[in-house]
Amino acid sequence: DVLAEYNSAQTTLQHLPQQHPFIPKPLNNLDHQNILQTVKSSRRRYLTFEPDTGGFNNMRISFEIVVLLAALSGRTLVLPPEQVMYLLQPKPGDKRQGRRQYTDYYNLTDNIDLLRHVPIISAEEFLHLEGGEDGLVPLTGYNDTWTKHLYTVSTSCEERKKSDVFCEDLYDHYASHGLVGPITSEVKYANCLVFDENVFLNGNNQID
């Protein structure tokens, strides 16, 4: 709640908190038992992402950045399907065959304070919520076989092109209906995100 408000230079003396120009106010009406309904009615903007394929520390850092971007932009975060994570080998008798999800390492589903700022749903929930004819990622243009395939991939996938559950099939579907930000860390074309100081101090109409 504190992040969503600030005292600008113009209001510090009066101690009047202003709505933060970048960080939306947290949801007051979050229904933890029916988070999908809350998302559909109050936070129908989404951020999807492909997980880093490096070691766990790379995955951790990139995931924390993604959560921050979702919070700053007022979006519901859609987790990728569970999959085998690099160097995290399955233990004997592991029924999930080494497949893991971020919820195995972070308290994402029961952390009410976090969910008020960043609602978090699974890829499967996202398809159920927005895959209809009036949804943001409609599946209505596919035949039954491919629709069923995407639902299967949304639960668990592999980053292997010849796999029957290739992760990129789902990500391609997202990309065909969403906006892929042209952001890269490659040195020659490296990007960074800039939050304009003038906008921060004076509001959205003061973009330099």
Side-chain angles (χ1 to χ4, degrees):
D1 297 22
V2 175
L3 285 175
E5 294 184 341
Y6 74 103
N7 289 330
S8 71
Q10 288 78 14
T11 61
T12 300
L13 294 179
Q14 294 89 345
H15 300 288
L16 298 176
Q18 304 294 306
Q19 170 62 35
H20 198 293
F22 303 123
I23 305 176
K25 289 183 177 180
L27 296 169
N28 291 322
N29 58 338
L30 178 65
D31 182 354
H32 184 245
Q33 300 301 319
N34 192 9
I35 190 171
L36 295 184
Q37 183 59 43
T38 303
V39 165
K40 189 82 179 230
S41 61
S42 303
R43 195 60 69 86
R44 199 183 178 197
R45 303 170 67 198
Y46 303 94
L47 178 63
T48 65
F49 69 99
E50 298 184 35
D52 193 296
T53 55
F56 182 77
N57 201 43
N58 284 0
M59 294 181 63
R60 177 188 63 80
I61 294 171
S62 62
F63 179 65
E64 290 171 356
I65 292 172
V66 168
V67 173
L68 181 61
L69 288 175
L72 290 173
S73 60
R75 282 169 166 77
T76 294
L77 182 62
V78 180
L79 296 177
E82 68 173 27
Q83 56 194 277
V84 173
M85 295 182 175
Y86 181 59
L87 296 180
L88 299 181
Q89 302 299 324
K91 295 180 179 180
D94 184 357
K95 295 182 179 180
R96 294 165 65 189
Q97 299 178 325
R99 294 186 295 271
R100 294 291 179 265
Q101 180 55 273
Y102 289 97
T103 51
D104 293 319
Y105 305 102
Y106 296 91
N107 179 14
L108 302 177
T109 56
D110 298 321
N111 189 333
I112 299 298
D113 287 338
L114 172 64
L115 293 175
R116 288 179 63 229
H117 288 87
V118 187
I120 299 173
I121 62 176
S122 68
E124 184 180 17
E125 289 172 328
F126 184 42
L127 288 190
H128 281 292
L129 191 64
E130 297 289 356
E133 187 173 352
D134 62 342
L136 298 179
V137 287
L139 299 167
T140 50
Y142 304 127
N143 59 37
D144 290 344
T145 300
W146 193 253
T147 297
K148 183 178 179 181
H149 168 70
L150 289 180
Y151 272 115
T152 300
V153 173
S154 73
T155 62
S156 178
C157 69
E158 295 180 339
E159 282 292 355
R160 187 168 55 87
K161 202 165 188 178
K162 292 185 177 180
S163 171
D164 291 335
V165 286
F166 185 36
C167 299
E168 296 300 320
D169 291 342
L170 179 64
Y171 300 147
D172 287 345
H173 173 65
Y174 288 167
S176 67
H177 293 284
L179 175 66
V180 180
I183 298 175
T184 178
S185 60
E186 297 296 328
V187 175
K188 185 177 179 180
Y189 306 102
N191 302 108
C192 64
L193 300 178
V194 177
F195 291 89
D196 190 279
E197 180 180 5
N198 198 32
V199 174
F200 178 83
L201 294 175
N202 302 300
N204 290 331
N205 295 324
Q206 305 297 320
I207 298 176
D208 289 334

